[in-house]
Amino acid sequence: QPQLVESGGGSVQAGGSLRLSCAASGSIFSISFMGWYRQVPGKQRELVAGINSGGSTNYADSVKGRFTISRDNAKNTVSLQMNSLKPEDTAVYYCRYISNYYSSWGQGTQVTVSS
């Protein structure tokens, strides 16, 4: 099963930027979905942005125009560039990998946006 290691979380003031990165290792298949989800206490985990191996992306309405997801298939990495951050973006962010054979979650990284 793939292992996912996230990095790049932290604290920032509203309007600032952060970049999250996720490196996948182990049983990685070229045809896959990778994405970022987030969760706040008491709420369900929600999809923030996703990208398939062909480069097609999708975003939650709340982050469109502010966040950009990208992936490097050769390095098995996915990144999330987050600009114009808002306090409501505060959450634990999780990397996600899905292929026809395996699926995995990262351990999560905290993003805190202060007003």
Side-chain angles (χ1 to χ4, degrees), residues 15-36:
S17 298
L18 284 172
R19 185 177 180 85
L20 305 181
S21 295
C22 173
S25 61
S27 301
I28 303 298
F29 293 87
S30 58
I31 300 176
S32 63
F33 166 90
M34 296 189 78
W36 289 94

Side-chain angles (χ1 to χ4, degrees), residues 15-17 48-49 57-69 80-86 89:
S17 298
V48 176
T57 60
N58 61 299
Y59 295 90
D61 288 343
S62 59
V63 307
K64 284 180 180 176
R66 301 188 297 122
F67 292 10
T68 302
I69 191 170
L80 185 68
Q81 178 66 41
M82 304 185 293
N83 298 328
S84 302
L85 282 160
K86 303 176 180 180
D89 295 318

Side-chain angles (χ1 to χ4, degrees), residues 36-56:
W36 289 94
Y37 289 69
R38 66 187 180 189
Q39 189 170 26
V40 297
K43 291 191 176 181
Q44 285 190 328
R45 196 170 294 187
E46 64 173 1
L47 175 67
V48 176
I51 184 169
N52 64 20
S53 46
S56 296

